[in-house]
């Protein structure tokens, strides 16, 4: 098994549960992948902001299996949007009424069409049309230009106008099924003590069932040999009858490309994704009253401000205010690899623009993280490119974020698809 993120560990749990010996190789020093944590104020905190929605029922089910369902706290969250040089409440009916950039007719079209989208069950009408086109036609150009367009631009950069409507439809569809709304906005779920509690419990269960998890040792190459495989890692090599790669597509290609057929390689080569950089500021002041602040302004150097301690009490982090500065950047953007200080120099004036009282002296510590592969980009016709879990080489399997469709990636789906990967392998082994 390659990758000790949630998908890889979940597959390992199901396979060891059936008595199969599994070895998980992980590049990072620890488990959890994109959901891994650092310690802040003596408390673990995700390096990339995380919460779950009430529609994430597989996550909740799985947490229950590990004895942790009761540890998910469902707390109110306040959402805002920065546009036209000021902050606006966003995400509740009352806030929409007060939202200045849209006129009454635009607001009505926005509400009616969003309600219809949330009731639509069939993805087909949304799969081959860009969201920019669909929104302009059904909600009006103002809604695209002032709301969705800038948000898509922050997330998908030059692909913003091409992203398929199916991606937005499914997000709205699932949010419409979010059951716990309050006057203070949607209730979101957070694991008391961080989501790492689930990852750690999962890793421990895999080991109890006989699995081996080897961290800090990346797989460098997978080779066919003697009816099975030789898995080369930086530290050595191992024999395996079957290999499941539970990692992003570029990592899969790097270690397994010679095992794949040309048609398979060319389809995988068409899949696109953005990377992400995320800066965490520990501060002695709060920046805004919001947990989640969308930045719908192309002149701003980041796409979102997530003030974790406007959602989770800051007392848990030694009284610190914790702010994530989120920025999705394409793989060819030099900012993806820029050092922390360069990124902070770019960000700090923009933070002052949002809150004129902000002072760099508020920052008591900062951390900077990068994910080369953070978010698949779903373009029209995406369904036809989704790689199957069984590779063309018998015995080689893939479980990756790019397979998640029409839903967007998330911990819930990493677990679900990890289970599906294990089911596929068990079926091939003659088990059901
Ligand atoms: C900015 C950001 C915010 C997010 N917010 C949320 C949120 O609020 N809620 C939510 O549910 N989800 C969120 N997610 C998504 C969530 O973190 C992921 O969907 C989930 O963790 C993916 O799990 P995975 O196992 O599929 O992949 P990954 O976590 O990417 O795991 C793959 C693993 O494979 C390892 N690997 C790769 N190549 C090799 C190799 N050659 N050898 C050994 N190991 C290798 C990697 O190191 C990694 O640990 C967010 C993600 C990002 C980037």
């Amino acid at each position: 098994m390659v990758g000790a993120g949630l998908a890889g560990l979940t597959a390992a749990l199901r396979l060891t549960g059936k008595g199969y010996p599994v070895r998980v190789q992980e590049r990072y020093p620890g488990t959890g992948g994109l959901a891994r944590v650092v310690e802040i104020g003596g408390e673990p905190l995700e390096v990339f902001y995380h919460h779950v929605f009430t529609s994430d029922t597989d996550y909740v089910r799985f947490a229950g299996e590990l004895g942790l369902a009761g540890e998910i706290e469902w707390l109110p969250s306040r959402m805002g949007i920065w546009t036209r040089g000021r902050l606006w409440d966003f995400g509740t009916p009352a806030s929409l009424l007060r939202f200045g950039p849209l006129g009454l007719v635009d607001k009505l079209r926005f509400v009616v069409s969003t309600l219809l989208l949330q009731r639509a069950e069939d993805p087909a009408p949304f799969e081959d049309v860009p969201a920019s086109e669909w929104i302009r036609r059904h909600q009006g150009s103002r809604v695209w230009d002032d709301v969705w367009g800038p948000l898509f631009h922050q997330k998908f950069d030059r692909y913003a106008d091409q992203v398929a409507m199916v991606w937005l439809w499914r997000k709205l569809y699932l949010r419409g099924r979010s059951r716990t709304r309050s006057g203070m906005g949607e209730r979101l779920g957070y694991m008391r003590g961080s989501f790492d509690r689930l990852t750690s419990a999962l890793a421990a269960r895999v080991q109890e069932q006989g699995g081996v998890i080897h961290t800090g040792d990346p797989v460098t190459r997978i080779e066919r040999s003697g009816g099975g495989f030789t898995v080369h890692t930086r530290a050595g090599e191992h024999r395996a009858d079957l290999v499941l790669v539970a990692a992003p597509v570029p990592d899969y290609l790097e270690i397994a490309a010679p095992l794949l057929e040309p048609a398979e390689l060319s389809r995988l080569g068409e899949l696109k994704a953005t990377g992400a950089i995320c800066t965490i500021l520990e501060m002695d002041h709060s920046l805004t009253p919001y947990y989640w602040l969308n930045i719908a302004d192309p002149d701003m150097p980041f796409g979102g401000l997530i003030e974790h301690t406007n959602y989770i009490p800051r007392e848990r982090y030694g009284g610190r205010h914790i702010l994530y500065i989120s920025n999705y950047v394409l793989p060819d953007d030099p900012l993806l690899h820029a050092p922390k200080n360069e990124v902070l120099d770019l960000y700090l004036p923009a933070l002052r623009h949002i809150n004129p009282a902000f002072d760099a002296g508020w920052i008591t510590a900062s951390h900077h993280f990068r994910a080369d592969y953070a978010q698949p980009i779903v373009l029209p016709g995406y369904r036809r490119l989704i790689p199957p879990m069984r590779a063309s080489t018998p015995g080689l399997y893939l479980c990756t974020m790019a397979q998640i469709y029409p839903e967007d990636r998330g911990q819930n789906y990493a677990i679900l698809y990890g289970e599906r990967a294990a089911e596929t392998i068990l079926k091939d082994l003659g088990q059901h």
Side-chain angles (χ1 to χ4, degrees), residues 3 5-7 26-28 33-34 49-51 218-219 246 251 410-411:
L6 272 179
E26 169 56 48
R27 171 201 289 149
Y28 289 135
L34 291 174
Y49 45 91
H50 273 70
H51 57 248
V219 171
D251 296 306
Q411 299 178 95

Side-chain angles (χ1 to χ4, degrees), residues 11 19 43 66 92-93 100 129 139 145 147 158 169 174 192 215 220 257 280 285 316-317 338 368 393 427:
E43 184 78 5
L66 294 170
T92 61
V129 56
Q139 301 191 340
D145 293 342
V147 182
R158 64 177 176 271
W169 161 72
L174 289 172
R192 204 174 278 114
T215 57
T220 51
I280 304 177
H285 286 69
R316 293 190 195 170
Y317 306 94
H368 188 65
T393 292
K427 209 178 269 174

Side-chain angles (χ1 to χ4, degrees), residues 16-320:
T16 52
K18 291 283 183 189
Y20 289 98
V22 172
R23 180 186 179 93
V24 185
Q25 281 294 140
E26 169 56 48
R27 171 201 289 149
Y28 289 135
T31 56
L34 291 174
R36 70 191 184 280
V37 290
V38 280
E39 213 179 276
I40 288 188
E43 184 78 5
L45 177 82
E46 292 70 23
V47 304
F48 302 109
Y49 45 91
H50 273 70
H51 57 248
V52 288
F53 298 107
T54 52
S55 52
D56 286 337
T57 50
D58 288 294
Y59 189 90
V60 176
R61 163 184 60 82
F62 199 69
E65 187 181 329
L66 294 170
L68 291 168
E71 298 299 300
I72 303 175
E73 299 176 282
W74 296 96
L75 302 172
S77 62
R78 188 168 169 195
M79 188 175 166
I81 188 165
W82 168 270
T83 183
R84 303 248 179 120
R86 59 161 281 194
L87 292 169
W88 308 83
D89 274 350
F90 204 66
T92 61
S95 64
L96 183 66
L97 278 176
R98 288 193 295 269
F99 187 60
L102 298 183
L104 193 61
V105 175
D106 293 324
K107 282 177 188 170
L108 273 174
R109 286 182 80 183
F110 181 70
V111 169
V112 171
S113 136
T114 303
L115 288 174
L116 289 175
L117 276 175
Q118 287 177 335
R119 278 165 183 67
E121 296 285 339
D122 180 10
F126 309 114
E127 294 194 283
D128 295 326
V129 56
S132 58
E133 208 177 299
W134 196 97
I135 294 287
R136 281 201 168 97
R137 194 174 336 125
H138 295 271
Q139 301 191 340
S141 291
R142 288 294 288 274
V143 173
W144 179 258
D145 293 342
D146 278 310
V147 182
W148 296 119
L151 297 178
F152 271 55
H153 190 265
Q154 294 285 4
K155 194 145 194 172
F156 301 111
D157 201 306
R158 64 177 176 271
Y159 294 103
D161 281 347
Q162 299 168 47
V163 170
M165 185 61 197
V166 70
W167 184 83
L168 180 61
W169 161 72
R170 197 62 182 178
K171 271 190 175 283
L172 295 174
Y173 175 92
L174 289 172
R175 296 297 278 277
R177 271 148 193 75
S178 235
R179 284 167 284 119
T180 47
R181 283 190 165 271
S182 69
M184 296 171 70
E186 190 175 15
R187 280 180 188 267
L188 301 173
Y190 189 72
M191 180 83 68
R192 204 174 278 114
S194 92
F195 287 107
D196 186 57
R197 287 187 63 198
L198 182 137
T199 315
S200 297
L202 171 57
R205 186 75 66 90
V206 168
Q207 286 164 324
E208 278 160 30
Q209 292 182 171
V212 173
I213 302 173
H214 197 71
T215 57
D217 185 18
V219 171
T220 51
R221 191 159 44 98
I222 303 169
E223 234 173 32
R224 202 98 186 78
S225 70
F229 298 90
T230 301
V231 177
H232 298 265
T233 74
R234 198 158 58 196
E237 58 181 59
H238 308 276
R239 287 274 314 140
D241 295 326
L242 306 174
V243 177
L244 169 63
V245 179
V249 168
D251 296 306
Y252 178 52
L253 289 173
E254 200 175 304
I255 58 179
L259 299 176
L260 307 177
E261 284 175 354
E264 204 175 7
L265 282 172
S266 96
R267 270 203 312 278
L268 286 165
E270 280 191 55
L271 294 168
K272 296 180 174 52
T274 67
I277 53 175
C278 194
T279 313
I280 304 177
L281 302 185
E282 297 179 37
M283 301 199 290
D284 52 21
H285 286 69
S286 168
L287 187 80
T288 80
Y290 301 102
Y291 163 57
W292 191 276
L293 181 65
N294 284 313
I295 307 293
D297 179 348
D299 293 332
M300 284 294 202
F302 41 72
L305 294 176
I306 294 97
E307 200 162 331
H308 183 73
T309 41
N310 285 342
Y311 168 50
I312 303 300
R314 69 188 169 99
E315 290 67 34
R316 293 190 195 170
Y317 306 94
R320 295 159 175 81

